Amino acid sequence: GENVEQHPSTLSVQEGDSAVIKCTYSDSASNYFPWYKQELGKRPQLIIDIRSNVGEKKDQRIAVTLNKTAKHFSLHITETQPEDSAVYFCAARGILTGGGNKLTFGTGTQLKVEL
Amino acid sequence: DAGVTQSPTHLIKTRGQQVTLRCSPKSGHDTVSWYQQALGQGPQFIFQYYEEEERQRGNFPDRFSGHQFPNYSSELNVNALLLGDSALYLCATSRGEGQPQHFGDGTRLSIL
């Protein structure tokens, strides 16, 4: 089945700097890649997603890029703020496992934005 | 516009017992997926319901079963609870299959 690897596991940046989180996936037919932000004790919150027919998507300070050939996708956060501190999860929706709604998640990145 | 709601928020059970968790989808959503999130890990897909049928299933034993009702709400049942079943159980709903999924706050299940 699909396998998603995520790096780094922890990331510490200064306020105002950029943060980049990278994920790789194994199912070359995967077609949907969401990113979720999870604050301590709260629900995963969908922050941005990208489909396989698009190479890049931007929403204010957040962007996601997708390289289908290399099977990796990345989350970019610019001008980081303390409220960006949280655990970020990437995910992929595979086709080989039957499509549907199954998301395979990465192991998460703990982002800490320091003042 | 109510989001995804789950009940109960917390639950404590002992080994061997059975539990039922509930999920009401966000308005306009008809597809429900259940995930298990162990501490410090990403959510693991359990199964998905659409049109009152189980459409897809992850690598979970038959002790995990579910149901979807005509109003699109869903239940997750776990029988013969094990210590390893302690986790946060998340419900995610979407408007159809393959669409963005939105999570509820989850049910924190503790097995003693």
Side-chain angles (χ1 to χ4, degrees):
Chain A
E2 175 73 279
N3 183 50
V4 177
E5 294 188 358
Q6 183 172 348
H7 300 280
S9 56
T10 60
L11 180 59
S12 185
V13 300
Q14 294 293 315
E15 183 180 8
D17 287 350
S18 295
V20 180
I21 303 171
K22 299 181 180 181
C23 290
T24 60
Y25 60 97
S26 59
D27 180 354
S28 58
S30 291
N31 63 0
Y32 175 66
F33 307 90
W35 285 88
Y36 288 87
K37 173 185 180 182
Q38 188 173 29
E39 297 176 67
L40 192 61
K42 296 193 175 182
R43 70 177 72 186
Q45 178 190 357
L46 179 65
I47 56 172
I48 196 167
D49 57 10
I50 191 168
R51 296 195 181 271
S52 57
N53 59 345
V54 176
E56 183 174 0
K57 184 177 179 181
K58 216 172 188 180
D59 183 3
Q60 299 182 338
R61 296 185 299 109
I62 294 174
V64 57
T65 58
L66 171 65
N67 183 326
K68 287 192 294 183
T69 303
K71 290 190 286 185
H72 69 70
F73 56 113
S74 300
L75 177 71
H76 304 253
I77 305 174
T78 58
E79 301 172 21
T80 54
Q81 302 167 2
E83 51 265 40
D84 294 329
S85 296
V87 178
Y88 290 80
F89 290 100
C90 63
R93 174 178 173 264
I95 298 298
L96 292 180
T97 52
N101 264 19
K102 178 182 179 181
L103 292 177
T104 300
F105 283 80
T107 48
T109 296
Q110 175 74 61
L111 174 64
K112 184 176 181 182
V113 180
E114 298 177 334
L115 297 172
Chain B
D1 179 19
V4 181
T5 58
Q6 291 187 242
S7 63
T9 54
H10 294 87
L11 206 48
I12 299 175
K13 292 284 187 178
T14 57
R15 282 180 300 172
Q17 285 189 310
Q18 177 265 343
V19 68
T20 297
L21 311 181
R22 295 176 176 82
C23 172
S24 291
K26 182 178 169 123
S27 178
H29 287 191
D30 57 6
T31 304
V32 178
S33 299
W34 287 91
Y35 292 82
Q36 180 195 67
Q37 186 177 26
L39 205 59
Q41 297 182 24
Q44 297 286 316
F45 177 80
I46 302 175
F47 43 52
Q48 172 216 330
Y49 279 84
Y50 176 65
E51 295 185 330
E52 302 179 48
E53 290 185 356
E54 183 184 294
R55 306 279 282 208
Q56 197 175 17
R57 189 178 182 92
N59 294 326
F60 280 80
D62 292 345
R63 298 188 297 109
F64 289 76
S65 63
H67 190 78
Q68 184 179 33
F69 300 93
N71 66 353
Y72 309 121
S73 67
S74 177
E75 288 182 349
L76 164 65
N77 301 293
V78 187
N79 295 323
L81 288 166
L82 304 173
L83 293 177
D85 295 332
S86 294
L88 179 67
Y89 287 85
L90 293 161
C91 168
T93 73
S94 63
R95 191 189 303 265
E97 293 184 308
Q99 298 303 312
Q101 297 180 49
H102 297 267
F103 283 88
D105 288 331
T107 294
R108 174 70 61 186
L109 177 62
S110 299
I111 311 301
L112 303 180

